[in-house]
């Protein structure tokens, strides 16, 4: 059976690093199995869903290189949910509930006050036909709950967490539909997973108890409208937390736009998120195929995965150091050719820093203060400068001979005179780019 995974964001905001990670893992799982990766827009909440976020989600996935093999929108599938709802209702698995939000809150408070778990007491399920009719005559419009089967223990073998067991009696019958007819997340998601042949549901561990409930929905749907359909496998990955060990507000709003602004390469983010929280080492692997090949749910740990910005910068640098000129040339400063790229590349953490280093070639450069001895040395350097394929090697060899200088005393004043800085790209690569006339002018200026 073809592996089908889905990434199912609600378009109520931008993607953040946590759901980017879930998207990536679903993409990898599908790619590794030669299967399909679907984007499902969970937009049943019309009030909170916005088209601009749908577009941003698509653009973010494209930037990340996680192109989906298909896209579905829940808002276009409402008849499917309606039909499933009717089937479940006919089977007695869905019932109307009349409590107001305030009544429910009060019940919760009382239960908690008595030290009891705040499980819905099925007040509405216990109503007689007459009581129900009376409520409706009063004009109370019901919302709808899915009736959990308390006799049916819930178990599944989770791809990350291993065997999971839930006692349905310890769960509330979930509300699946509001009084205005709109859908909550639970039922549409289960309907879609069956209808689209999703084989693997991989999501964050904040969904574990939803899965418990949805397993009963899957079973009820297969017994009614979706006979012959296969319930997906489930895996819940540990959540992503900040370095400080908590899911910070910052992390919850850290998205592709912020990474772009920081000039983080998508490959760096992908390499990091692919393995964070797994037993595999996080490495600067730019080759997707390699990451996909090594993807293995059994390496995923139960402990929260820690997201560290410093580590991301480190990975970014390592990815940038591997990038070919062809892949970056459109982002480089005017006039920087392949030799220029190779000269500055090892000094970069982010590609955007190339323009700072390029100023050392194009000038003007900062002027440095030199001692009288160094000035004399630089005057000799201006004299000695001769041009070849290897001007830096020639210059330093000549000066070493003629002045007896070595090490820092030889190299530092030259670097300072030629670039205005104490450190920077390899002078062997930089000097040919600066050019003979400009190099001599800089040395003479420093000597004077
Ligand atoms: N729309 C849901 C969410 O963003 C999807 C969860 C799921 O993967 O089923 O949390």
């Amino acid at each position: 059976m073809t592996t089908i995974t889905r990434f199912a964001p609600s378009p109520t905001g931008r993607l953040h690093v946590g759901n980017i990670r879930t998207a990536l893992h679903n993409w990898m799982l599908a790619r590794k199995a030669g299967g399909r990766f679907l984007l499902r827009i969970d937009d049943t909440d019309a009030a909170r869903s916005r088209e601009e976020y749908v577009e941003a989600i698509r653009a973010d996935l494209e930037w990340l290189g996680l192109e989906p093999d298909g896209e579905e929108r829940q808002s276009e599938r409402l008849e499917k949910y309606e039909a499933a709802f009717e089937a479940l209702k006919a089977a007695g698995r869905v019932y109307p509930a009349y409590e107001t939000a305030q009544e429910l809150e009060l019940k919760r408070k009382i239960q908690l006050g008595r030290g009891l778990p705040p499980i819905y007491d099925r007040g509405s399920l216990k109503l007689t036909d007459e009581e129900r009719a009376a409520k409706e005559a009063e004009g109370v419009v019901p919302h709808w709950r899915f009736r959990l089967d308390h006799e049916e223990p819930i178990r599944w073998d989770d791809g990350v967490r291993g065997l999971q067991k839930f006692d349905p009696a310890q769960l509330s019958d979930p509300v699946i539909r509001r009084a205005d007819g709109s859908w909550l997340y639970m039922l549409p998601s289960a309907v879609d997973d069956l209808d689209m042949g999703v084989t693997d549901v991989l999501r964050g561990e904040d969904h574990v108890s939803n899965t418990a409930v949805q397993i009963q929905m899957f079973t009820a749907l297969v017994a009614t409208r979706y006979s012959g359909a296969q319930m997906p496998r489930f895996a819940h990955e540990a959540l992503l937390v900040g370095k400080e060990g908590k899911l910070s507000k910052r992390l919850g709003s850290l998205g592709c736009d912020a990474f772009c602004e920081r000039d983080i390469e998508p490959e760096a983010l992908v390499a990091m998120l692919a393995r964070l929280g797994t037993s595999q080492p996080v490495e600067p692997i730019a080759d997707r195929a390699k990451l996909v090949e090594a993807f293995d749910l059994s390496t995923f740990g139960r402990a929260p995965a820690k997201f560290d910005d410093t580590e991301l910068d480190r990975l970014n640098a390592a990815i940038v150091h591997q990038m070919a000129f062809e892949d970056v040339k459109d982002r480089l400063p005017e006039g920087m050719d392949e030799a220029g790229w190779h000269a500055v590349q090892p000094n970069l953490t982010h590609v955007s820093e190339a323009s700072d280093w390029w100023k050392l070639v194009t000038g003007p450069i900062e002027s440095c203060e030199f001692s009288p001895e160094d000035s004399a040395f630089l005057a000799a350097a201006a004299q000695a400068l001769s041009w070849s394929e290897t001007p830096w090697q020639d210059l330093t060899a000549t000066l070493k001979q003629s002045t007896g200088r070595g090490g820092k005393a030889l190299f530092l004043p030259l670097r300072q005179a030629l670039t205005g800085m104490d450190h920077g790209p390899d002078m062997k690569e930089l000097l040919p780019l600066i050019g003979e006339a400009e190099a001599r002018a800089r040395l003479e200026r420093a000597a004077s």
Side-chain angles (χ1 to χ4, degrees), residues 41 43 51 59 65 74 107 135 139 143 175 181 202 243 260 293 355 377 386 401 411 416:
I41 304 290
D43 57 352
E51 204 51 35
Q74 291 197 322
K107 285 188 192 201
K135 291 267 183 207
H143 53 276
V175 176
L202 168 57
K243 216 172 56 187
C260 261
E293 186 48 44
S355 54
F377 167 70
S386 69
Q401 271 266 309
F411 296 114
Q416 288 171 330

Side-chain angles (χ1 to χ4, degrees), residues 6 8-10 40 42 185 189 193 201-203 206-207 214:
R6 87 295 195 278
S10 306
R40 191 185 80 202
D42 280 5
Y185 152 76
S189 180
D193 287 338
V201 170
L202 168 57
R203 53 191 178 186
D206 49 330
H207 282 288
Q214 283 176 325

Side-chain angles (χ1 to χ4, degrees), residues 81-97 124-125 132 143-148 173-177 183 187 217 220-221 224:
Y81 313 142
E82 193 71 54
F85 176 79
E86 288 305 328
L88 293 179
K89 199 159 92 177
R93 295 304 297 271
V94 155
Y95 64 93
S124 287
L125 188 60
R132 217 174 291 124
H143 53 276
W144 299 84
R145 288 186 186 260
F146 177 77
R147 183 176 62 76
L148 290 168
D173 288 341
V175 176
I176 55 169
R177 196 172 196 181
W183 300 99
L187 182 66
M217 285 183 188
L221 287 167
T224 52

Side-chain angles (χ1 to χ4, degrees), residues 408-431:
K408 200 172 161 192
L410 173 65
F411 296 114
L412 187 61
L414 288 173
R415 177 182 281 283
Q416 288 171 330
L418 288 164
T419 69
M421 291 185 68
D422 293 350
H423 69 281
D426 191 338
M427 290 304 299
K428 282 202 290 294
E429 305 214 25
L430 219 46
L431 188 53

